[in-house]
Amino acid sequence: MANKSILDSALRAAVNVGSSKLPTEVAKSSAALLSSLSETKHTLPDLAYDYNALEPAISAETMTLHHSKHHNTYVTNLNATIEKIDSAMIAGDVSATIALQGALKFNGGGHINHTLFWENLCPDSKYKGDGVLAEAINERFGSLDKVKAELGASTIAVQGSGWGWLGFNPKTGKIDIATLPNQDPLEASTGLKPLLGIDVWEHAYYVDYRNVRPDYVNAIWDIINWDVVESRLVAAKG
């Protein structure tokens, strides 16, 4: 969270300047902030389970490729992008800083989304049917089955690559469903706080389900870690 605040502050400072060069005082402070951030490398998170633990819903082959290859690529590219932003800020080059925002959004979003995704999964899925999460689900949707049906349908319908999300809306105090393209991060894009995400990039399911996305989305409900979903809801409610 601290890293995000540092980066957001530096980018806001850059974007709000109209000229092609940053004023000296802004350049110095922004460069210092981004230098600090770039020294803190993002890393691939460890999983709380083995690659084969989610079978048969997700195979060990898919998990190995998805985590060690695809997610790791986002982490590598995120670190490289932050270094480039750091250099652009030091040079006072607003244009270059702005041009890098797309790479920051894509790779930063990929890292955020996948980190949330791994935590969303577990080999022993149990839904308690009571507590804060169940109350929120029943109030908004009526039942867990209705959440599965609505979120599942929305996620399956994502065009191309993207994500389906269950999130908490701080403005209404209720949970909502959203879908986003590519690696757009939920909270930064919509204001919803992420509770549960379903990755529907083909690399998440093609080995196991080929192009039959509905079978993958239907199977993933068997491995959702509802305790993590509930803990996120509690934290989001404050």
Side-chain angles (χ1 to χ4, degrees):
M1 187 64 68
N3 284 353
K4 179 179 182 297
S5 298
I6 291 171
L7 186 55
D8 284 351
S9 298
L11 286 176
R12 281 198 301 270
V15 172
N16 288 334
V17 176
S19 68
S20 61
K21 291 289 184 178
L22 294 171
T24 301
E25 65 275 10
V26 175
K28 287 181 178 179
S29 61
S30 297
L33 288 170
L34 278 165
S35 293
S36 174
L37 178 59
S38 64
E39 290 172 2
T40 305
K41 297 293 185 182
H42 295 274
T43 59
L44 183 69
D46 293 331
L47 300 182
Y49 40 81
D50 293 332
Y51 282 149
N52 66 356
L54 304 179
E55 293 180 335
I58 302 178
S59 69
E61 182 180 2
T62 292
M63 285 298 302
T64 301
L65 291 169
H66 198 174
H67 178 256
S68 68
K69 302 297 184 182
H70 290 282
H71 187 175
N72 196 47
T73 297
Y74 292 120
V75 173
T76 299
N77 290 339
L78 173 60
N79 286 325
T81 299
I82 291 173
E83 289 180 3
K84 290 177 182 177
I85 293 174
D86 188 359
S87 297
M89 294 295 289
I90 290 172
D93 190 341
V94 177
S95 179
T97 303
I98 294 172
L100 287 163
Q101 288 185 78
L104 178 63
K105 182 178 183 180
F106 183 74
N107 294 296
H111 180 39
I112 291 169
N113 292 344
H114 282 88
T115 300
L116 293 167
F117 182 61
W118 307 133
E119 295 171 355
N120 269 150
L121 307 178
C122 71
D124 186 23
S125 177
K126 293 180 181 178
Y127 180 71
K128 293 185 296 186
D130 58 15
V132 175
L133 179 61
E135 290 174 3
I137 285 175
N138 293 337
E139 178 185 2
R140 177 67 175 79
F141 298 98
S143 69
L144 178 61
D145 285 341
K146 290 182 178 179
V147 170
K148 291 180 178 180
E150 188 172 335
L151 178 55
S154 298
T155 303
I156 291 167
V158 169
Q159 294 184 345
S161 301
W163 291 74
W165 291 98
L166 185 69
F168 175 73
N169 189 331
K171 294 181 179 179
T172 65
K174 299 182 183 298
I175 56 177
D176 287 321
I177 286 170
T179 59
L180 288 168
N182 302 316
Q183 294 295 352
D184 293 7
L186 182 68
E187 187 169 6
S189 302
T190 68
L192 298 178
K193 295 184 178 295
L195 305 178
L196 166 63
I198 302 176
D199 184 355
V200 286
W201 279 66
E202 280 198 342
H203 64 237
Y205 61 86
Y206 195 83
V207 169
D208 303 323
Y209 300 93
R210 295 301 185 260
N211 64 338
V212 189
R213 183 185 285 179
D215 287 355
Y216 158 71
V217 173
N218 290 334
I220 207 167
W221 298 114
D222 294 334
I223 52 172
I224 295 298
N225 190 331
W226 294 108
D227 288 340
V228 166
V229 179
E230 182 165 60
S231 68
R232 289 181 184 162
L233 177 60
V234 171
K237 283 176 169 285

